[in-house]
Amino acid sequence: MRKRIAAILAAVMLAMGTFAGCGSVADADTVEIVNVSYDPTRELYKAYNTMFEQHWEEQAGQKVRIIQSHGGSGKQALEVANGLDADVVTLALEGDIQTISDSGLIDPGFVSEFPDDSAPYTSTIVFLVRKENPKQIKDWDDLLKSDVSVITPNPKTSGGARWNYLAAWYYFESQGESEEEITEHMKTLYQNVLVLDSGARGSTTTFIENGQGDVLIAWENEAFLSMREEPGEYEIVVPSASVLCQPTVAVVDEVVDRRGSRAVAEEYLNYLYSDEAQKLVGENYYRPADPDIEKEFYTEEGTREIAEIPSDGKWMVTDVDLADISHFGGWNTVIEKHFSDGGIFDTIYERNR
């Protein structure tokens, strides 16, 4: 309730121009907000920020300058919780924003603050392989082969890496394996990992620029961007089972109330659900939250092996078994079981240290 009242007051004061004091948000010619995000959203928010700047000036008669921060999602969450000022956070998973909420900076209930569980776009996890797929990687069990080297970031610091891990776990689970069998397969998979970078973009650099590894476990959008930037050099393999990744957005309540920036911060996140922004989301290879706009990007071929970006813009493979985070019991359960100190990930990766 406090949050809604503050939002209403901020909007009214902005419209009336009655923020007191020189240099206040409403009186200023330009307002500044900070968006702390995760690695693979760089291209999306570069385009979206330009779109939003125009929208806000038309709506409020005020220019807005958006400062972007990118990095591993888990690391970004800790930075904000430890004092990095952010008006909004657009992170890889709800659990990272919960870390900030637990510090007292974001009010409880942030998941219901915006539509679709405060996830204006979704994604999934795919494989990026080198042209002609020399190791003939088709699904998760191929990553267990002794001659296959894998690149994926560190789930201790990267939200995307946690999705990667859960996607692999779900595949083996869907094969009817016990938890003990799944754990053994996860050990083998991570034995094949050459480098655990701190974030998803770092892993892409390791695979693309440094030429390491046979397969990159990647965000869907990151894989398509790599193909777009290096045509003919890579292919995407969509596994038969994966996860529905729900990057989550939130206003950092303590910061916007202190800075008087709540109105612009909330509109910044609300506008992500507009038709024009949802189309931009799809054009950047994220899955739009709007089901009608999402359908515009459905592939007609249904293939799970993509050698080139479709010229008609229909890139989204839909015949994949996707588990969402509720399948695993929610992020609190997942973090405690898999990623906390002494959790399953520590036990399966210790042999590589």
Side-chain angles (χ1 to χ4, degrees), residues 110-132:
F110 62 86
V111 175
S112 59
E113 191 71 17
F114 297 96
D116 301 295
D117 296 328
S118 293
Y121 43 83
T122 61
S123 188
T124 189
I125 301 302
V126 301
F127 307 145
L128 187 69
V129 299
R130 304 193 186 279
K131 61 181 179 180
E132 299 180 356

Side-chain angles (χ1 to χ4, degrees), residues 79-216:
E79 292 282 355
V80 174
N82 291 328
L84 173 64
D85 266 0
D87 298 88
V88 298
V89 285
T90 55
L91 296 177
L93 47 92
E94 176 192 331
D96 287 336
I97 294 184
Q98 186 63 53
T99 296
I100 304 171
S101 182
D102 289 343
S103 74
L105 297 177
I106 296 176
D107 292 347
F110 62 86
V111 175
S112 59
E113 191 71 17
F114 297 96
D116 301 295
D117 296 328
S118 293
Y121 43 83
T122 61
S123 188
T124 189
I125 301 302
V126 301
F127 307 145
L128 187 69
V129 299
R130 304 193 186 279
K131 61 181 179 180
E132 299 180 356
N133 194 4
K135 295 296 178 74
Q136 290 301 294
I137 294 167
K138 306 292 185 181
D139 221 328
W140 290 99
D141 48 1
D142 292 318
L143 307 192
L144 307 181
K145 297 176 181 177
S146 59
D147 65 337
V148 172
S149 55
V150 178
I151 303 297
T152 183
N154 189 343
K156 290 289 192 176
T157 55
S158 166
R162 294 184 175 188
W163 287 120
N164 293 355
Y165 173 102
L166 292 175
W169 186 281
Y170 178 65
Y171 169 80
F172 294 118
E173 180 186 339
S174 71
Q175 303 303 300
E177 297 182 3
S178 67
E179 184 166 306
E180 290 74 20
E181 291 171 323
I182 298 171
T183 301
E184 285 303 310
H185 280 145
M186 297 295 285
K187 285 181 180 179
T188 302
L189 193 160
Y190 278 90
Q191 278 184 316
N192 289 345
V193 174
L194 292 181
V195 181
L196 279 182
D197 290 289
S198 63
R201 185 54 58 89
S203 286
T204 301
T205 298
T206 295
F207 186 75
I208 302 292
E209 296 183 14
N210 300 341
Q212 298 187 57
D214 299 306
V215 55
L216 172 70

Side-chain angles (χ1 to χ4, degrees), residues 43-45 47-48 51 121-122 220-222 224-225 228 275-289 293-294 296-298 309-310 312-316:
E43 292 77 11
L44 171 61
Y45 280 110
Y48 175 71
M51 178 183 289
Y121 43 83
T122 61
E220 188 174 47
N221 73 293
E222 188 82 342
F224 273 104
L225 288 174
R228 187 173 72 184
D275 287 353
E276 52 268 37
Q278 288 287 290
K279 289 178 181 179
L280 183 67
V281 161
E283 291 165 1
N284 280 270
Y285 308 108
Y286 280 95
R287 298 180 173 225
I293 295 176
E294 182 186 53
E296 296 178 14
F297 298 94
Y298 284 177
I309 295 178
D312 60 4
K314 297 181 181 298
W315 56 265
M316 193 184 305

Side-chain angles (χ1 to χ4, degrees), residues 24-25 104 136 138 155 161 240 243 258 278 283 322 349:
S24 66
V25 168
Q136 290 301 294
K138 306 292 185 181
S240 62
V243 288
R258 169 164 45 85
Q278 288 287 290
E283 291 165 1
L322 298 180
Y349 192 66

